[in-house]
Amino acid sequence: MNTQFANPMRETPGFGLACRSMTAVAACALALLVQGCANPSYTITPEAHAKAAKAQPVAPKPEDFPALDKAVWKQGDFANLDNLRQMRTGMGKDQVRQLLGWPHFSEGLWGVSTWNYIFHFRTGKGAEFVTCQYMVRFNGDMLTEGMYWKGPDCELLLNPPQVRPVAVVPPPPPVARPAQKVTLGADGLFKFNGSSMDDLLPEGRNKLVRLAQDIRGNFKSVHYVLVTGHTDRLGSDAYNEVLSQARANTVRELLVQNGIDRKVIRTTGMGKRQPVSECAGSEKTTALVQCLQPNRRVELEIAGEQ
């Protein structure tokens, strides 16, 4: 006996429904007798399983699915998602039946190669659901070689695409850069012994205006601007302290006039305490004044986010 065709009751969807009819009692009894004599399944060999797994049959077209009103069990089933996800090629009919139950359409009695199902998916909106058709095809060894949904939307209901949250990449931290230092010669900024806004030379004023523009253009925000005035060693300590502080204050005012926030600017006068050039002699001569020129300067230190 060919065991894969030996069980007419298990191969005949709608059997249970038919057996409820009193006129079919005799037929049911006969089917039960046949079932008792039949072997319910047969061994699936590794070769047959591999053959089914390698098969690439042509997928059915939408018109290949039977009309819903042709179903024997028209109510269908609410989909058991876990069971449906276990479906694979190379499975026998008993294994499919254990997962999905009987097909909902009358597929015939002997050598059935296609089972069709009606599955409902709940939408999560009250009693609302979506109805889909599912087809299982068997090869000549009666092993599954393909499982198909009528329409791609139904397959997405079973295996919805994973929506991965987009990682929010925090902006890079502000680049902390070392404070920038700018040194401007006082002789090019002010008239001799001058320190006020009126004493600024045209060239010196232009330098400070361009410096303010560079600060605004190169820094997103300014942490601080330190303006330090310096003098040479000629003259008294008190005079040089006042002169260096006054020059620093004048530079600050011009920066403020050109868009730099006064709150971030600090000024100090160092007088002659931090010379950068040492020159011999004490008598004020042209040569000595020229030698001490690097000491007469205004230094700016600028820090901020770029």
Side-chain angles (χ1 to χ4, degrees):
M1 180 181 294
N2 187 338
T3 56
Q4 61 186 357
F5 304 132
N7 192 344
M9 183 191 74
R10 296 173 65 85
E11 291 289 316
T12 308
F15 172 80
L17 184 64
C19 285
R20 294 190 186 97
S21 171
M22 295 300 296
T23 60
V25 172
C28 292
L30 177 60
L32 289 172
L33 179 62
V34 174
Q35 181 189 26
C37 299
N39 185 357
S41 64
Y42 60 94
T43 301
I44 300 175
T45 66
E47 293 77 12
H49 186 280
K51 177 183 176 182
K54 290 181 180 179
Q56 295 183 344
V58 177
K61 299 177 181 179
E63 56 267 26
D64 294 332
F65 287 80
L68 289 175
D69 60 2
K70 301 297 183 182
V72 175
W73 294 342
K74 299 182 185 297
Q75 293 183 2
D77 287 316
F78 281 92
N80 185 319
L81 303 185
D82 291 335
N83 286 3
L84 278 167
R85 291 181 181 128
Q86 293 183 56
M87 289 293 296
R88 299 288 188 276
T89 56
M91 297 175 66
K93 289 188 174 182
D94 284 345
Q95 295 169 333
V96 175
R97 245 188 321 263
Q98 288 175 3
L99 292 176
L100 306 184
W102 287 99
H104 299 126
F105 293 80
S106 178
E107 311 288 4
L109 184 62
W110 309 108
V112 177
S113 61
T114 303
W115 282 3
N116 283 279
Y117 292 86
I118 301 171
F119 289 125
H120 310 297
F121 292 85
R122 299 191 187 277
T123 65
K125 300 178 181 178
E128 182 180 282
F129 60 87
V130 175
T131 298
C132 294
Q133 287 184 251
Y134 184 71
M135 179 187 294
V136 181
R137 281 182 171 174
F138 301 91
N139 63 10
D141 297 321
M142 291 298 121
L143 300 182
T144 55
E145 66 175 2
M147 291 76 66
Y148 311 95
W149 291 98
K150 185 179 180 181
D153 293 343
C154 291
E155 185 172 0
L156 291 177
L157 292 173
L158 177 63
N159 296 303
Q162 293 184 353
V163 179
R164 298 182 179 180
V166 178
V168 178
V169 180
V175 179
R177 297 183 182 273
Q180 297 185 14
K181 294 184 178 182
V182 178
T183 299
L184 302 173
D187 291 356
L189 292 177
F190 297 94
K191 297 176 182 178
F192 183 74
N193 281 340
S195 61
S196 68
M197 194 72 71
D198 293 336
D199 293 328
L200 277 170
L201 297 172
E203 181 183 353
R205 183 183 294 271
N206 291 337
K207 287 182 180 179
L208 292 174
V209 170
R210 288 196 297 270
L211 178 61
Q213 293 173 346
D214 289 343
I215 293 173
R216 295 199 316 270
N218 295 330
F219 289 86
K220 295 179 180 178
S221 63
V222 178
H223 295 162
Y224 68 84
V225 178
L226 176 60
V227 184
T228 305
H230 300 270
T231 65
D232 60 25
R233 59 181 172 83
L234 301 177
S236 67
D237 292 346
Y239 173 80
N240 285 319
E241 291 286 341
V242 172
L243 180 63
S244 62
Q245 182 68 55
R247 286 177 171 174
N249 291 342
T250 297
V251 171
R252 176 190 61 197
E253 294 305 315
L254 193 59
L255 293 177
V256 170
Q257 290 178 12
N258 286 273
I260 307 302
D261 188 355
R262 181 186 297 275
K263 295 178 182 178
V264 302
I265 305 176
R266 293 177 294 175
T267 62
T268 184
M270 296 301 295
K272 57 184 179 181
R273 286 174 290 171
Q274 294 182 346
V276 293
S277 180
E278 298 290 346
C279 301
S282 58
E283 184 177 352
K284 184 178 179 180
T285 63
T286 302
L288 180 59
V289 172
Q290 186 174 359
C291 179
L292 294 173
Q293 182 180 8
N295 296 336
R296 300 186 295 272
R297 66 197 189 278
V298 177
E299 294 179 337
L300 296 94
E301 183 176 305
I302 308 150
E305 294 179 15
Q306 291 185 304

